[in-house]
Amino acid sequence: MDPAVQIPVCHQCGVDDFLIFESFTPPTDDLPGVANYTCSACETFAGHPVPASWTPPGWRS
């Protein structure tokens, strides 16, 4: 797996407990999925490719 493809976690807090998912683009045949999120505990924003099998908790397409 490409090192840039990772499960979302706050890199400041070290957990995923406080993530608010701003957007999610599902994977296509050519591109990985992408998640953009903010940590409500420290207000850090991040976005990056995610594994093909991952979707945000409770996310509906």
Side-chain angles (χ1 to χ4, degrees):
M1 181 184 321
D2 181 338
V5 176
Q6 48 187 292
I7 293 174
V9 64
C10 177
H11 298 288
Q12 187 78 17
C13 296
V15 297
D16 64 359
D17 298 345
F18 307 107
L19 300 184
I20 299 170
F21 293 94
E22 310 289 342
S23 66
F24 172 64
T25 305
T28 65
D29 291 337
D30 299 329
L31 300 170
V34 176
N36 294 299
Y37 53 92
T38 300
C39 176
S40 64
C42 69
E43 299 183 1
T44 300
F45 177 81
H48 54 76
V50 294
S53 61
W54 185 89
T55 57
W59 197 271
R60 295 180 183 221
S61 53

